Amino acid sequence: MPATRSEQRARTRQNLLDATVGCLVEFGYAGTTTQRVQERAGVSRGALLHHFGSKEDLFVAAIHHIAEQQLVRVRAAGAGAGSQRHLVTALREAMSGPLFLAGLELWLGARTDPALRAALLPAERELGRELRETFESFSDDRIGYESLLVLLRGLALTSILRDDPAVAGAIVDRWFERMA
């Protein structure tokens, strides 16, 4: 049975958002153009404009796309965590990789783009609320939670220039020692 028009539109939209994430990772915020997204998605200019009338519209949709995927990862981490250590390991995986890098590019863009910032804040608050609730299922230590977020974001950020899993693991182990 062929896909309905609605299914085709949804698939094209998903393709465009995935292409945007890929471009953000490969080219950064400044280098992600609608032309690059269109080419990566393999769609016409008209198809891109049908779904997203401007680059701003595309980036706002990408923010929500990334946040939704991250929420799925965080919820899965919380549901599968049998211990706080397992949770931290799962969150570390969720807060790294292409989705994190694309989100980071949008964070940097939001620093100077008020519209992007306005779109980013609610999505980040929702993700932060989910992270906090997941962490609180193991501990109600607010400083422990905040320090974990800073640690995981820092590890993901520094992995861009130097990725040493042994050192990163030792850093997480030290966090556990200090928080115990």
Side-chain angles (χ1 to χ4, degrees):
M1 179 177 206
T4 66
R5 293 199 41 80
S6 175
E7 291 168 337
Q8 290 172 341
R9 279 192 298 274
R11 190 176 21 225
T12 299
R13 180 180 170 81
Q14 181 70 34
N15 236 2
L16 285 163
L17 292 171
D18 290 342
T20 303
V21 169
C23 286
L24 285 165
V25 172
E26 185 175 347
F27 305 110
Y29 175 75
T32 296
T33 63
T34 55
Q35 180 68 33
R36 282 185 166 150
V37 170
Q38 172 192 330
E39 288 170 2
R40 183 172 284 221
V43 300
S44 69
R45 185 79 177 153
L48 172 70
L49 292 174
H50 172 75
H51 289 278
F52 306 105
S54 68
K55 185 176 178 180
E56 180 180 310
D57 292 344
L58 179 63
F59 282 160
V60 167
I63 287 168
H64 296 289
H65 175 70
I66 291 166
E68 287 167 12
Q69 289 187 3
Q70 289 290 63
L71 279 168
V72 167
R73 292 173 79 184
V74 167
R75 287 179 181 136
S83 68
Q84 189 176 37
R85 184 170 289 276
H86 184 255
L87 174 66
V88 169
T89 299
L91 290 178
R92 185 171 160 205
E93 290 172 12
M95 294 177 68
S96 63
L99 285 177
F100 175 83
L101 294 175
L104 180 63
E105 289 295 330
L106 292 169
W107 275 25
L108 293 173
R111 187 181 73 79
T112 57
D113 183 335
L116 193 60
R117 180 178 169 80
L120 187 63
L121 284 174
E124 286 300 319
R125 284 187 183 124
E126 183 179 359
L127 183 57
R129 189 171 34 258
E130 189 75 30
L131 281 166
R132 188 173 48 259
E133 288 172 6
T134 301
F135 184 83
E136 286 174 351
S137 68
F138 290 93
S139 171
D140 64 355
D141 180 1
R142 174 72 189 234
I143 298 301
Y145 166 74
E146 293 294 336
S147 67
L148 177 63
L149 279 186
V150 170
L151 173 68
L152 294 178
R153 287 177 178 148
L155 286 173
L157 189 57
T158 56
S159 74
I160 294 168
L161 297 178
R162 61 179 176 98
D163 193 14
D164 186 341
V167 170
I171 291 169
V172 171
D173 288 344
R174 179 71 54 92
W175 180 86
F176 273 108
E177 289 171 16
R178 300 279 190 218
M179 298 314 295

PDB file of all heavy atoms in Angstrom, residues 48-84:
ATOM      1  N   LEU A  48      11.277  22.118   0.766  1.00  0.00           N
ATOM      2  CA  LEU A  48      11.829  22.730   1.980  1.00  0.00           C
ATOM      3  C   LEU A  48      10.961  23.903   2.427  1.00  0.00           C
ATOM      4  O   LEU A  48      10.581  24.001   3.594  1.00  0.00           O
ATOM      5  CB  LEU A  48      13.266  23.191   1.743  1.00  0.00           C
ATOM      6  CG  LEU A  48      13.892  24.006   2.867  1.00  0.00           C
ATOM      7  CD1 LEU A  48      14.148  23.129   4.086  1.00  0.00           C
ATOM      8  CD2 LEU A  48      15.184  24.648   2.407  1.00  0.00           C
ATOM      9  N   LEU A  49      10.632  24.763   1.488  1.00  0.00           N
ATOM     10  CA  LEU A  49       9.848  25.957   1.820  1.00  0.00           C
ATOM     11  C   LEU A  49       8.412  25.611   2.217  1.00  0.00           C
ATOM     12  O   LEU A  49       7.792  26.349   2.984  1.00  0.00           O
ATOM     13  CB  LEU A  49       9.860  26.946   0.656  1.00  0.00           C
ATOM     14  CG  LEU A  49      11.223  27.586   0.379  1.00  0.00           C
ATOM     15  CD1 LEU A  49      11.174  28.437  -0.881  1.00  0.00           C
ATOM     16  CD2 LEU A  49      11.686  28.409   1.575  1.00  0.00           C
ATOM     17  N   HIS A  50       7.894  24.513   1.716  1.00  0.00           N
ATOM     18  CA  HIS A  50       6.557  24.082   2.122  1.00  0.00           C
ATOM     19  C   HIS A  50       6.526  23.770   3.618  1.00  0.00           C
ATOM     20  O   HIS A  50       5.560  24.094   4.311  1.00  0.00           O
ATOM     21  CB  HIS A  50       6.130  22.843   1.317  1.00  0.00           C
ATOM     22  CG  HIS A  50       4.865  22.229   1.803  1.00  0.00           C
ATOM     23  ND1 HIS A  50       3.623  22.787   1.557  1.00  0.00           N
ATOM     24  CD2 HIS A  50       4.631  21.121   2.554  1.00  0.00           C
ATOM     25  CE1 HIS A  50       2.692  22.049   2.123  1.00  0.00           C
ATOM     26  NE2 HIS A  50       3.268  21.023   2.735  1.00  0.00           N
ATOM     27  N   HIS A  51       7.592  23.156   4.107  1.00  0.00           N
ATOM     28  CA  HIS A  51       7.649  22.766   5.518  1.00  0.00           C
ATOM     29  C   HIS A  51       8.189  23.871   6.413  1.00  0.00           C
ATOM     30  O   HIS A  51       7.742  24.023   7.548  1.00  0.00           O
ATOM     31  CB  HIS A  51       8.500  21.506   5.681  1.00  0.00           C
ATOM     32  CG  HIS A  51       7.845  20.285   5.136  1.00  0.00           C
ATOM     33  ND1 HIS A  51       6.900  19.581   5.843  1.00  0.00           N
ATOM     34  CD2 HIS A  51       7.970  19.672   3.944  1.00  0.00           C
ATOM     35  CE1 HIS A  51       6.483  18.569   5.112  1.00  0.00           C
ATOM     36  NE2 HIS A  51       7.111  18.592   3.954  1.00  0.00           N
ATOM     37  N   PHE A  52       9.156  24.611   5.904  1.00  0.00           N
ATOM     38  CA  PHE A  52       9.828  25.645   6.711  1.00  0.00           C
ATOM     39  C   PHE A  52      10.025  26.880   5.842  1.00  0.00           C
ATOM     40  O   PHE A  52      10.852  26.874   4.931  1.00  0.00           O
ATOM     41  CB  PHE A  52      11.165  25.121   7.243  1.00  0.00           C
ATOM     42  CG  PHE A  52      11.036  23.826   7.986  1.00  0.00           C
ATOM     43  CD1 PHE A  52      11.436  22.633   7.413  1.00  0.00           C
ATOM     44  CD2 PHE A  52      10.460  23.789   9.251  1.00  0.00           C
ATOM     45  CE1 PHE A  52      11.292  21.426   8.087  1.00  0.00           C
ATOM     46  CE2 PHE A  52      10.307  22.594   9.930  1.00  0.00           C
ATOM     47  CZ  PHE A  52      10.722  21.407   9.347  1.00  0.00           C
ATOM     48  N   GLY A  53       9.287  27.931   6.157  1.00  0.00           N
ATOM     49  CA  GLY A  53       9.322  29.134   5.344  1.00  0.00           C
ATOM     50  C   GLY A  53      10.594  29.945   5.471  1.00  0.00           C
ATOM     51  O   GLY A  53      10.876  30.803   4.637  1.00  0.00           O
ATOM     52  N   SER A  54      11.386  29.668   6.506  1.00  0.00           N
ATOM     53  CA  SER A  54      12.625  30.421   6.704  1.00  0.00           C
ATOM     54  C   SER A  54      13.636  29.551   7.453  1.00  0.00           C
ATOM     55  O   SER A  54      13.274  28.522   8.025  1.00  0.00           O
ATOM     56  CB  SER A  54      12.355  31.694   7.512  1.00  0.00           C
ATOM     57  OG  SER A  54      11.987  31.354   8.852  1.00  0.00           O
ATOM     58  N   LYS A  55      14.864  30.015   7.454  1.00  0.00           N
ATOM     59  CA  LYS A  55      15.908  29.319   8.209  1.00  0.00           C
ATOM     60  C   LYS A  55      15.553  29.324   9.699  1.00  0.00           C
ATOM     61  O   LYS A  55      15.758  28.335  10.399  1.00  0.00           O
ATOM     62  CB  LYS A  55      17.257  30.005   7.967  1.00  0.00           C
ATOM     63  CG  LYS A  55      18.433  29.314   8.599  1.00  0.00           C
ATOM     64  CD  LYS A  55      19.734  30.026   8.221  1.00  0.00           C
ATOM     65  CE  LYS A  55      20.933  29.379   8.872  1.00  0.00           C
ATOM     66  NZ  LYS A  55      22.185  30.060   8.504  1.00  0.00           N
ATOM     67  N   GLU A  56      14.995  30.418  10.164  1.00  0.00           N
ATOM     68  CA  GLU A  56      14.590  30.508  11.572  1.00  0.00           C
ATOM     69  C   GLU A  56      13.538  29.446  11.896  1.00  0.00           C
ATOM     70  O   GLU A  56      13.625  28.762  12.919  1.00  0.00           O
ATOM     71  CB  GLU A  56      14.044  31.897  11.879  1.00  0.00           C
ATOM     72  CG  GLU A  56      13.601  32.077  13.315  1.00  0.00           C
ATOM     73  CD  GLU A  56      13.063  33.473  13.564  1.00  0.00           C
ATOM     74  OE1 GLU A  56      13.738  34.447  13.204  1.00  0.00           O
ATOM     75  OE2 GLU A  56      11.954  33.559  14.127  1.00  0.00           O
ATOM     76  N   ASP A  57      12.545  29.288  11.009  1.00  0.00           N
ATOM     77  CA  ASP A  57      11.518  28.261  11.217  1.00  0.00           C
ATOM     78  C   ASP A  57      12.157  26.868  11.278  1.00  0.00           C
ATOM     79  O   ASP A  57      11.760  26.026  12.089  1.00  0.00           O
ATOM     80  CB  ASP A  57      10.486  28.280  10.093  1.00  0.00           C
ATOM     81  CG  ASP A  57       9.612  29.517  10.089  1.00  0.00           C
ATOM     82  OD1 ASP A  57       9.568  30.229  11.111  1.00  0.00           O
ATOM     83  OD2 ASP A  57       8.981  29.771   9.040  1.00  0.00           O
ATOM     84  N   LEU A  58      13.125  26.631  10.409  1.00  0.00           N
ATOM     85  CA  LEU A  58      13.811  25.342  10.368  1.00  0.00           C
ATOM     86  C   LEU A  58      14.572  25.093  11.666  1.00  0.00           C
ATOM     87  O   LEU A  58      14.491  24.006  12.246  1.00  0.00           O
ATOM     88  CB  LEU A  58      14.765  25.305   9.170  1.00  0.00           C
ATOM     89  CG  LEU A  58      15.592  24.036   8.989  1.00  0.00           C
ATOM     90  CD1 LEU A  58      14.693  22.830   8.734  1.00  0.00           C
ATOM     91  CD2 LEU A  58      16.571  24.238   7.828  1.00  0.00           C
ATOM     92  N   PHE A  59      15.289  26.103  12.147  1.00  0.00           N
ATOM     93  CA  PHE A  59      16.056  25.940  13.384  1.00  0.00           C
ATOM     94  C   PHE A  59      15.141  25.770  14.603  1.00  0.00           C
ATOM     95  O   PHE A  59      15.445  24.986  15.498  1.00  0.00           O
ATOM     96  CB  PHE A  59      17.022  27.102  13.593  1.00  0.00           C
ATOM     97  CG  PHE A  59      18.268  27.019  12.763  1.00  0.00           C
ATOM     98  CD1 PHE A  59      19.024  28.151  12.533  1.00  0.00           C
ATOM     99  CD2 PHE A  59      18.710  25.827  12.227  1.00  0.00           C
ATOM    100  CE1 PHE A  59      20.195  28.092  11.788  1.00  0.00           C
ATOM    101  CE2 PHE A  59      19.879  25.749  11.473  1.00  0.00           C
ATOM    102  CZ  PHE A  59      20.624  26.886  11.255  1.00  0.00           C
ATOM    103  N   VAL A  60      14.034  26.486  14.635  1.00  0.00           N
ATOM    104  CA  VAL A  60      13.092  26.331  15.747  1.00  0.00           C
ATOM    105  C   VAL A  60      12.542  24.904  15.747  1.00  0.00           C
ATOM    106  O   VAL A  60      12.467  24.253  16.796  1.00  0.00           O
ATOM    107  CB  VAL A  60      11.963  27.382  15.671  1.00  0.00           C
ATOM    108  CG1 VAL A  60      10.819  27.034  16.618  1.00  0.00           C
ATOM    109  CG2 VAL A  60      12.521  28.767  15.986  1.00  0.00           C
ATOM    110  N   ALA A  61      12.184  24.402  14.581  1.00  0.00           N
ATOM    111  CA  ALA A  61      11.698  23.019  14.498  1.00  0.00           C
ATOM    112  C   ALA A  61      12.803  22.036  14.884  1.00  0.00           C
ATOM    113  O   ALA A  61      12.533  21.020  15.538  1.00  0.00           O
ATOM    114  CB  ALA A  61      11.186  22.726  13.089  1.00  0.00           C
ATOM    115  N   ALA A  62      14.035  22.335  14.509  1.00  0.00           N
ATOM    116  CA  ALA A  62      15.164  21.459  14.862  1.00  0.00           C
ATOM    117  C   ALA A  62      15.353  21.417  16.383  1.00  0.00           C
ATOM    118  O   ALA A  62      15.667  20.362  16.936  1.00  0.00           O
ATOM    119  CB  ALA A  62      16.442  21.929  14.174  1.00  0.00           C
ATOM    120  N   ILE A  63      15.153  22.542  17.038  1.00  0.00           N
ATOM    121  CA  ILE A  63      15.252  22.583  18.502  1.00  0.00           C
ATOM    122  C   ILE A  63      14.275  21.581  19.104  1.00  0.00           C
ATOM    123  O   ILE A  63      14.632  20.776  19.967  1.00  0.00           O
ATOM    124  CB  ILE A  63      14.959  24.010  19.037  1.00  0.00           C
ATOM    125  CG1 ILE A  63      16.137  24.936  18.735  1.00  0.00           C
ATOM    126  CG2 ILE A  63      14.639  23.982  20.528  1.00  0.00           C
ATOM    127  CD1 ILE A  63      15.831  26.406  18.949  1.00  0.00           C
ATOM    128  N   HIS A  64      13.038  21.611  18.650  1.00  0.00           N
ATOM    129  CA  HIS A  64      12.024  20.715  19.201  1.00  0.00           C
ATOM    130  C   HIS A  64      12.299  19.259  18.812  1.00  0.00           C
ATOM    131  O   HIS A  64      12.094  18.357  19.620  1.00  0.00           O
ATOM    132  CB  HIS A  64      10.633  21.171  18.767  1.00  0.00           C
ATOM    133  CG  HIS A  64      10.282  22.510  19.314  1.00  0.00           C
ATOM    134  ND1 HIS A  64      10.003  22.720  20.647  1.00  0.00           N
ATOM    135  CD2 HIS A  64      10.221  23.730  18.725  1.00  0.00           C
ATOM    136  CE1 HIS A  64       9.766  24.000  20.856  1.00  0.00           C
ATOM    137  NE2 HIS A  64       9.896  24.633  19.702  1.00  0.00           N
ATOM    138  N   HIS A  65      12.792  19.052  17.619  1.00  0.00           N
ATOM    139  CA  HIS A  65      13.149  17.714  17.146  1.00  0.00           C
ATOM    140  C   HIS A  65      14.254  17.116  18.027  1.00  0.00           C
ATOM    141  O   HIS A  65      14.143  15.975  18.490  1.00  0.00           O
ATOM    142  CB  HIS A  65      13.612  17.831  15.687  1.00  0.00           C
ATOM    143  CG  HIS A  65      14.116  16.584  15.071  1.00  0.00           C
ATOM    144  ND1 HIS A  65      13.294  15.519  14.754  1.00  0.00           N
ATOM    145  CD2 HIS A  65      15.358  16.223  14.682  1.00  0.00           C
ATOM    146  CE1 HIS A  65      14.023  14.565  14.204  1.00  0.00           C
ATOM    147  NE2 HIS A  65      15.271  14.957  14.142  1.00  0.00           N
ATOM    148  N   ILE A  66      15.284  17.895  18.287  1.00  0.00           N
ATOM    149  CA  ILE A  66      16.398  17.431  19.123  1.00  0.00           C
ATOM    150  C   ILE A  66      15.914  17.187  20.556  1.00  0.00           C
ATOM    151  O   ILE A  66      16.227  16.164  21.159  1.00  0.00           O
ATOM    152  CB  ILE A  66      17.559  18.442  19.090  1.00  0.00           C
ATOM    153  CG1 ILE A  66      18.212  18.445  17.710  1.00  0.00           C
ATOM    154  CG2 ILE A  66      18.590  18.145  20.179  1.00  0.00           C
ATOM    155  CD1 ILE A  66      19.148  19.620  17.460  1.00  0.00           C
ATOM    156  N   ALA A  67      15.133  18.123  21.094  1.00  0.00           N
ATOM    157  CA  ALA A  67      14.639  17.985  22.469  1.00  0.00           C
ATOM    158  C   ALA A  67      13.771  16.736  22.608  1.00  0.00           C
ATOM    159  O   ALA A  67      13.899  15.998  23.591  1.00  0.00           O
ATOM    160  CB  ALA A  67      13.857  19.228  22.880  1.00  0.00           C
ATOM    161  N   GLU A  68      12.911  16.466  21.631  1.00  0.00           N
ATOM    162  CA  GLU A  68      12.060  15.272  21.691  1.00  0.00           C
ATOM    163  C   GLU A  68      12.905  14.005  21.700  1.00  0.00           C
ATOM    164  O   GLU A  68      12.641  13.079  22.466  1.00  0.00           O
ATOM    165  CB  GLU A  68      11.090  15.252  20.508  1.00  0.00           C
ATOM    166  CG  GLU A  68       9.968  16.263  20.615  1.00  0.00           C
ATOM    167  CD  GLU A  68       9.210  16.443  19.301  1.00  0.00           C
ATOM    168  OE1 GLU A  68       9.400  15.638  18.358  1.00  0.00           O
ATOM    169  OE2 GLU A  68       8.421  17.405  19.223  1.00  0.00           O
ATOM    170  N   GLN A  69      13.913  13.959  20.842  1.00  0.00           N
ATOM    171  CA  GLN A  69      14.771  12.779  20.800  1.00  0.00           C
ATOM    172  C   GLN A  69      15.567  12.626  22.087  1.00  0.00           C
ATOM    173  O   GLN A  69      15.748  11.513  22.585  1.00  0.00           O
ATOM    174  CB  GLN A  69      15.703  12.837  19.590  1.00  0.00           C
ATOM    175  CG  GLN A  69      14.963  12.636  18.285  1.00  0.00           C
ATOM    176  CD  GLN A  69      15.908  12.537  17.106  1.00  0.00           C
ATOM    177  OE1 GLN A  69      17.127  12.569  17.226  1.00  0.00           O
ATOM    178  NE2 GLN A  69      15.334  12.418  15.926  1.00  0.00           N
ATOM    179  N   GLN A  70      16.033  13.733  22.632  1.00  0.00           N
ATOM    180  CA  GLN A  70      16.766  13.681  23.893  1.00  0.00           C
ATOM    181  C   GLN A  70      15.848  13.240  25.037  1.00  0.00           C
ATOM    182  O   GLN A  70      16.261  12.491  25.917  1.00  0.00           O
ATOM    183  CB  GLN A  70      17.418  15.022  24.210  1.00  0.00           C
ATOM    184  CG  GLN A  70      18.594  15.363  23.307  1.00  0.00           C
ATOM    185  CD  GLN A  70      19.798  14.478  23.572  1.00  0.00           C
ATOM    186  OE1 GLN A  70      19.769  13.264  23.387  1.00  0.00           O
ATOM    187  NE2 GLN A  70      20.880  15.082  23.998  1.00  0.00           N
ATOM    188  N   LEU A  71      14.599  13.702  25.032  1.00  0.00           N
ATOM    189  CA  LEU A  71      13.651  13.280  26.060  1.00  0.00           C
ATOM    190  C   LEU A  71      13.432  11.765  26.003  1.00  0.00           C
ATOM    191  O   LEU A  71      13.375  11.108  27.044  1.00  0.00           O
ATOM    192  CB  LEU A  71      12.314  14.007  25.903  1.00  0.00           C
ATOM    193  CG  LEU A  71      12.261  15.413  26.468  1.00  0.00           C
ATOM    194  CD1 LEU A  71      10.996  16.123  26.003  1.00  0.00           C
ATOM    195  CD2 LEU A  71      12.352  15.402  27.979  1.00  0.00           C
ATOM    196  N   VAL A  72      13.324  11.227  24.810  1.00  0.00           N
ATOM    197  CA  VAL A  72      13.175   9.776  24.662  1.00  0.00           C
ATOM    198  C   VAL A  72      14.383   9.066  25.256  1.00  0.00           C
ATOM    199  O   VAL A  72      14.249   8.082  25.988  1.00  0.00           O
ATOM    200  CB  VAL A  72      12.983   9.398  23.170  1.00  0.00           C
ATOM    201  CG1 VAL A  72      13.152   7.905  22.940  1.00  0.00           C
ATOM    202  CG2 VAL A  72      11.626   9.866  22.678  1.00  0.00           C
ATOM    203  N   ARG A  73      15.582   9.585  24.978  1.00  0.00           N
ATOM    204  CA  ARG A  73      16.808   8.964  25.498  1.00  0.00           C
ATOM    205  C   ARG A  73      16.881   9.054  27.022  1.00  0.00           C
ATOM    206  O   ARG A  73      17.260   8.094  27.691  1.00  0.00           O
ATOM    207  CB  ARG A  73      18.033   9.622  24.859  1.00  0.00           C
ATOM    208  CG  ARG A  73      18.154   9.322  23.361  1.00  0.00           C
ATOM    209  CD  ARG A  73      19.259  10.096  22.714  1.00  0.00           C
ATOM    210  NE  ARG A  73      20.544   9.460  22.999  1.00  0.00           N
ATOM    211  CZ  ARG A  73      21.704   9.956  22.619  1.00  0.00           C
ATOM    212  NH1 ARG A  73      21.762  11.088  21.953  1.00  0.00           N
ATOM    213  NH2 ARG A  73      22.823   9.321  22.900  1.00  0.00           N
ATOM    214  N   VAL A  74      16.504  10.206  27.566  1.00  0.00           N
ATOM    215  CA  VAL A  74      16.557  10.388  29.018  1.00  0.00           C
ATOM    216  C   VAL A  74      15.530   9.483  29.698  1.00  0.00           C
ATOM    217  O   VAL A  74      15.821   8.848  30.714  1.00  0.00           O
ATOM    218  CB  VAL A  74      16.343  11.866  29.392  1.00  0.00           C
ATOM    219  CG1 VAL A  74      16.078  12.038  30.878  1.00  0.00           C
ATOM    220  CG2 VAL A  74      17.556  12.691  28.958  1.00  0.00           C
ATOM    221  N   ARG A  75      14.332   9.413  29.144  1.00  0.00           N
ATOM    222  CA  ARG A  75      13.297   8.542  29.727  1.00  0.00           C
ATOM    223  C   ARG A  75      13.734   7.083  29.681  1.00  0.00           C
ATOM    224  O   ARG A  75      13.519   6.341  30.645  1.00  0.00           O
ATOM    225  CB  ARG A  75      11.974   8.741  29.009  1.00  0.00           C
ATOM    226  CG  ARG A  75      11.328  10.061  29.360  1.00  0.00           C
ATOM    227  CD  ARG A  75      10.032  10.282  28.624  1.00  0.00           C
ATOM    228  NE  ARG A  75       9.483  11.584  28.984  1.00  0.00           N
ATOM    229  CZ  ARG A  75       8.977  12.445  28.117  1.00  0.00           C
ATOM    230  NH1 ARG A  75       8.902  12.143  26.832  1.00  0.00           N
ATOM    231  NH2 ARG A  75       8.528  13.612  28.529  1.00  0.00           N
ATOM    232  N   ALA A  76      14.340   6.676  28.589  1.00  0.00           N
ATOM    233  CA  ALA A  76      14.835   5.296  28.478  1.00  0.00           C
ATOM    234  C   ALA A  76      15.940   5.047  29.501  1.00  0.00           C
ATOM    235  O   ALA A  76      15.997   3.981  30.120  1.00  0.00           O
ATOM    236  CB  ALA A  76      15.341   5.022  27.065  1.00  0.00           C
ATOM    237  N   ALA A  77      16.791   6.047  29.704  1.00  0.00           N
ATOM    238  CA  ALA A  77      17.867   5.915  30.698  1.00  0.00           C
ATOM    239  C   ALA A  77      17.279   5.744  32.088  1.00  0.00           C
ATOM    240  O   ALA A  77      17.723   4.894  32.866  1.00  0.00           O
ATOM    241  CB  ALA A  77      18.786   7.143  30.658  1.00  0.00           C
ATOM    242  N   GLY A  78      16.273   6.533  32.403  1.00  0.00           N
ATOM    243  CA  GLY A  78      15.653   6.436  33.722  1.00  0.00           C
ATOM    244  C   GLY A  78      14.910   5.131  33.916  1.00  0.00           C
ATOM    245  O   GLY A  78      14.974   4.518  34.981  1.00  0.00           O
ATOM    246  N   ALA A  79      14.218   4.685  32.881  1.00  0.00           N
ATOM    247  CA  ALA A  79      13.434   3.451  32.990  1.00  0.00           C
ATOM    248  C   ALA A  79      14.331   2.227  33.128  1.00  0.00           C
ATOM    249  O   ALA A  79      13.980   1.267  33.808  1.00  0.00           O
ATOM    250  CB  ALA A  79      12.532   3.297  31.772  1.00  0.00           C
ATOM    251  N   GLY A  80      15.495   2.263  32.494  1.00  0.00           N
ATOM    252  CA  GLY A  80      16.371   1.102  32.520  1.00  0.00           C
ATOM    253  C   GLY A  80      17.414   1.130  33.619  1.00  0.00           C
ATOM    254  O   GLY A  80      18.194   0.193  33.770  1.00  0.00           O
ATOM    255  N   ALA A  81      17.431   2.182  34.405  1.00  0.00           N
ATOM    256  CA  ALA A  81      18.474   2.337  35.425  1.00  0.00           C
ATOM    257  C   ALA A  81      18.121   1.559  36.682  1.00  0.00           C
ATOM    258  O   ALA A  81      17.087   1.783  37.290  1.00  0.00           O
ATOM    259  CB  ALA A  81      18.672   3.807  35.764  1.00  0.00           C
ATOM    260  N   GLY A  82      19.018   0.646  37.055  1.00  0.00           N
ATOM    261  CA  GLY A  82      18.826  -0.096  38.288  1.00  0.00           C
ATOM    262  C   GLY A  82      19.585   0.511  39.447  1.00  0.00           C
ATOM    263  O   GLY A  82      19.354   0.179  40.597  1.00  0.00           O
ATOM    264  N   SER A  83      20.506   1.413  39.124  1.00  0.00           N
ATOM    265  CA  SER A  83      21.307   2.067  40.151  1.00  0.00           C
ATOM    266  C   SER A  83      21.649   3.471  39.674  1.00  0.00           C
ATOM    267  O   SER A  83      21.514   3.788  38.494  1.00  0.00           O
ATOM    268  CB  SER A  83      22.605   1.282  40.389  1.00  0.00           C
ATOM    269  OG  SER A  83      23.444   1.377  39.235  1.00  0.00           O
ATOM    270  N   GLN A  84      22.131   4.274  40.610  1.00  0.00           N
ATOM    271  CA  GLN A  84      22.519   5.634  40.235  1.00  0.00           C
ATOM    272  C   GLN A  84      23.688   5.599  39.249  1.00  0.00           C
ATOM    273  O   GLN A  84      23.723   6.376  38.307  1.00  0.00           O
ATOM    274  CB  GLN A  84      22.892   6.452  41.468  1.00  0.00           C
ATOM    275  CG  GLN A  84      23.080   7.927  41.131  1.00  0.00           C
ATOM    276  CD  GLN A  84      23.351   8.774  42.350  1.00  0.00           C
ATOM    277  OE1 GLN A  84      24.029   8.339  43.266  1.00  0.00           O
ATOM    278  NE2 GLN A  84      22.846   9.990  42.347  1.00  0.00           N
TER     279      GLN A  84
END
